[in-house]
Amino acid sequence: MNMCFGRNWDPNTGYKERYRSDGSEPPPIPYELVSLVKAAVQDAQAILKDLPSMHPDICSVNYYPANGFLHLHQDRDESSDSLRRGLPVVSISIGECATFLYGDTRINKKLKRIFLYSGDVLIFGGKSRLIYHRVKQISQYTSPVQLVTEFGLRNDRLSLTFRQF
Ligand SMILES: O=C(O)CCC(=O)C(=O)O
Ligand SMILES: [Fe+2]
């Protein structure tokens, strides 16, 4: 399940439809999140000197239930300029831990694996902008207790993925 801030993006139609299915435009990305994303990229640039800066104008929110997953894909619907410059994709994980596979190949057994826990920020850009990636599975009972008790995010995961069109 997917919803957007900033620009409308749909896994099937990409950025073609400006309006959402109810005819409304997506709300702007909250500025606190824009600042957080820019600060995360700046922090990463301290280590990866040639990681380009970006100003996010799209935030896509994915909801994963306990049995959720996301098939192998590249994020390549953005403008050719954004892709050519390798403007980073920044993704923030909330809730249950995701097993995230990635690599420069579609061959499943060659993909690398990382675990994305609640609060983790994943950044890929520069020459890694077009990596293949997928969410293999969601692990239960890995969410911070506070998310469960205060927000009822039980057995679920949200990811907020920011890009510059
Ligand atoms: O949920 C994630 O961590 C990845 C999301 C993703 O790859 C996407 O929205 O394109
Ligand atoms: Fe993606």
Side-chain angles (χ1 to χ4, degrees):
M1 198 161 76
N2 171 276
M3 66 166 275
C4 294
F5 293 91
R7 259 174 201 264
N8 198 34
W9 177 82
D10 177 282
N12 300 313
T13 57
Y15 292 102
K16 277 201 194 83
E17 303 292 339
R18 180 166 161 200
Y19 299 100
R20 303 189 287 190
S21 53
D22 66 356
S24 64
E25 280 192 79
I29 307 177
Y31 75 89
E32 293 91 341
L33 289 176
V34 173
S35 318
L36 184 68
V37 167
K38 293 183 103 165
V41 172
Q42 263 176 22
D43 285 350
Q45 286 168 331
I47 302 160
L48 292 169
K49 302 278 180 235
D50 50 8
L51 185 73
S53 298
M54 70 98 147
H55 182 90
D57 54 15
I58 151 93
C59 167
S60 142
V61 182
N62 285 325
Y63 169 76
Y64 299 85
N67 61 353
F69 62 91
L70 185 65
H71 63 83
L72 189 71
H73 67 281
Q74 293 171 298
D75 288 13
R76 55 179 318 150
D77 288 340
E78 288 65 44
S79 68
S80 49
D81 185 56
S82 177
L83 298 178
R84 186 181 47 77
R85 289 159 62 201
L87 302 190
V89 175
V90 177
S91 143
I92 300 175
S93 293
I94 302 169
E96 300 285 36
C97 172
T99 306
F100 184 89
L101 305 187
Y102 70 97
D104 57 9
T105 167
R106 281 187 169 281
I107 302 169
N108 202 46
K109 63 175 193 252
K110 292 197 174 163
L111 298 175
K112 295 185 189 118
R113 184 181 68 171
I114 50 170
F115 296 106
L116 297 177
Y117 285 92
S118 195
D120 281 350
V121 179
L122 172 76
I123 302 180
F124 54 90
K127 61 181 175 12
S128 302
R129 177 61 175 76
L130 290 179
I131 53 165
Y132 291 95
H133 55 284
R134 64 182 271 231
V135 173
K136 186 174 177 219
Q137 65 182 49
I138 308 299
S139 301
Q140 287 195 31
Y141 314 119
T142 50
S143 238
V145 147
Q146 201 186 359
L147 278 182
V148 180
T149 52
E150 286 186 27
F151 302 102
L153 198 68
R154 189 187 300 272
N155 303 334
D156 309 334
R157 172 175 185 260
L158 289 171
S159 69
L160 278 62
T161 303
F162 298 85
R163 310 185 193 100
Q164 180 174 334
F165 181 78

